[in-house]
Amino acid sequence: MTVLVTGGAGYIGSHTVRALVEAGESVVVVDNLSTGFSAFLPEAVPLFIGDAGDENLVEGVIAQHRVESIIHFAGSVVVPDSMRDPLGYYRNNTMTTRSLLNVAVRASISRFIFSSTAAVYGNPEQVPVPEHVPTRPLSPYGSSKLMTEIMLHDVASAHGMSYVVLRFFNVAGADPQARMGLATNGATHLLKIAVEAATGQRAKIDVFGTDYPTPDGSCIRDFIHVTDLAEAHRAALSYLRGGGNSVTLNCGYGRGYSVLEAIEAVRRVSGRNFAVQYAPRRPGDIMTMVADTSRIRATLDWTPQYDDLETIARHALAWEEKLVRERQAEIQHAASA
Ligand SMILES: NC(=O)c1ccc[n+]([C@@H]2O[C@H](COP(=O)([O-])OP(=O)(O)OC[C@H]3O[C@@H](n4cnc5c(N)ncnc54)[C@H](O)[C@@H]3O)[C@@H](O)[C@H]2O)c1
């Protein structure tokens, strides 16, 4: 009874692999390491380096490890990149999942958990946003994920598969023991950028738009700690194993913090007063994005442990400081070699 995690060497995938292993699950990972890191995986977890859309590879892994469930993280995640390269995003998100589902159907996989995103909502009519509102993505990234949701729904109905679609809001923070975190170069996550500024890796942080009709004029987001999100995946798996029906669930805390509040939290926990530059609004930015979390709380046995902006900022900072120390040690090692 093994769980296949695609993209398990990435930011969210690696936290989920860790949560599953700590809960006693047998896990196998397929990841092409395009943005992931093999070092994020516990040693005992087999890693197959390859594409989640490679049907021969995945079919072999499923047979060899007697996989019964799939948690699918593999994909491309940067919204502005998807504007520049839409076909690349439809290929790596939508088409890769089509191939993965093709294998899953052939192998009679009965449970599938998919990483979707709040980007499927576009500019929501209602905030906090519930799952049933119309989806109107504003980027190829959001569209590629929505297309995948539709495809998964159709495949599950036709082939007796059960699924949970988790629509992540703003994922942030790092493993509380700093074993994994966000390490991708050029990551666009606000808290990541803020901790890079706090550790002296950036001269300043830009805030796009301070004239929104919000309490402090900046945009509002629902930040969820990556460890709580990992636990939501473990809970989703238990839910499906317990016979739960296919369902789509928002993954956030249901509480919004402004961009300026998030920056202040990083300043407070770091004790460093890095520069903030106010810039005009960016086209396409959504003013307020906060999850209605009633459905996930009613459906899954899931109690968030880190629902606190300062804790999220502290864990993100501790991870970033570790990355900086490791990079400095590498430079010193290279210099002395
Ligand atoms: N980070 C967020 O805030 C956020 C928000 C909403 C949704 N998501 C979704 O969560 C998932 C994981 O995101 P993340 O933040 O951990 O990103 P990430 O880039 O750290 O992880 C993606 C992982 O998938 C791997 N990968 C990419 N394409 C692959 C392919 N074709 N075959 C095999 N492996 C492949 C990468 O090497 C990486 O390890 C993505 O599907 C993303 O769309 C993330």
Side-chain angles (χ1 to χ4, degrees):
M1 295 271 277
T2 299
V3 184
L4 165 61
V5 181
T6 74
Y11 171 48
I12 307 167
S14 62
H15 286 79
T16 303
V17 166
R18 191 75 65 161
L20 292 170
V21 168
E22 285 172 2
E25 297 281 352
S26 160
V27 179
V28 60
V29 169
V30 171
D31 195 302
N32 65 9
L33 300 184
S34 52
T35 55
F37 302 88
S38 55
F40 283 2
L41 293 173
E43 257 175 36
V45 171
L47 164 65
F48 290 84
I49 300 174
D51 202 289
D54 177 339
E55 296 193 21
N56 288 332
L57 168 73
V58 175
E59 196 148 30
V61 171
I62 289 175
Q64 188 188 337
H65 288 271
R66 300 175 49 225
V67 168
E68 48 96 20
S69 305
I70 296 179
I71 304 183
H72 178 40
F73 292 102
S76 303
V77 307
V78 183
V79 175
D81 285 355
S82 79
M83 304 286 203
R84 285 186 287 273
D85 178 23
L87 287 175
Y89 272 67
Y90 290 120
R91 180 180 48 72
N92 203 38
N93 290 345
T94 315
M95 290 169 68
T96 294
T97 313
R98 194 232 168 245
S99 301
L100 181 65
L101 283 171
N102 198 28
V103 177
V105 167
R106 279 208 301 269
S108 304
I109 296 291
S110 54
R111 291 179 274 272
F112 198 98
I113 298 173
F114 173 59
S115 310
S116 190
T117 166
V120 298
Y121 294 118
N123 227 332
E125 283 166 9
Q126 197 180 326
V127 180
V129 56
E131 292 85 349
H132 60 75
V133 299
T135 40
R136 298 194 190 101
L138 297 174
S139 63
Y141 169 68
S143 299
S144 71
K145 289 286 184 173
L146 183 58
M147 287 161 81
T148 308
E149 286 192 14
I150 295 166
M151 187 167 57
L152 175 57
H153 171 83
D154 292 345
V155 169
S157 306
H159 298 286
M161 184 187 279
S162 304
Y163 67 81
V164 175
V165 166
L166 296 174
R167 290 180 178 161
F168 310 164
F169 280 62
N170 280 65
V171 189
D175 173 50
Q177 295 174 50
R179 293 168 296 185
M180 312 81 72
L182 192 50
T184 323
N185 282 334
T188 51
H189 304 56
L190 171 67
L191 276 165
K192 171 78 174 171
I193 293 171
V195 294
E196 284 175 356
T199 48
Q201 301 173 83
R202 282 178 185 264
K204 61 172 174 63
I205 174 164
D206 289 317
V207 174
F208 298 99
T210 49
D211 57 350
Y212 287 98
T214 57
D216 66 19
S218 64
C219 291
I220 293 180
R221 294 290 179 267
D222 187 343
F223 296 96
I224 175 168
H225 193 295
V226 62
T227 301
D228 280 336
L229 183 57
E231 278 302 317
H233 285 78
R234 200 198 45 69
L237 188 62
S238 300
Y239 164 80
L240 289 178
R241 283 184 180 150
N245 291 327
S246 295
V247 67
T248 298
L249 303 172
N250 284 340
C251 269
Y253 292 141
R255 174 143 52 118
Y257 289 100
S258 74
V259 168
L260 294 178
E261 282 175 317
I263 292 171
E264 259 328 294
V266 174
R267 278 182 166 157
R268 254 194 322 275
V269 298
S270 67
R272 289 167 212 137
N273 193 15
F274 50 88
V276 174
Q277 181 164 307
Y278 300 126
R281 294 183 188 191
R282 252 185 329 198
D285 271 355
I286 291 155
M287 180 174 73
T288 303
M289 183 56 91
V290 177
D292 179 331
T293 58
S294 344
R295 194 187 282 177
I296 189 170
R297 290 178 195 271
T299 308
L300 301 186
D301 180 12
W302 176 66
T303 310
Q305 302 295 309
Y306 302 103
D307 177 0
D308 173 62
L309 188 60
E310 278 210 9
T311 305
I312 295 174
R314 201 169 51 252
H315 291 164
L317 180 68
W319 167 252
E320 198 62 35
E321 285 171 336
K322 183 177 169 189
L323 282 182
V324 170
R325 280 195 305 275
E326 283 175 359
R327 266 185 227 126
Q328 283 167 347
E330 272 170 31
I331 292 166
Q332 276 167 6
H333 182 74
S336 62

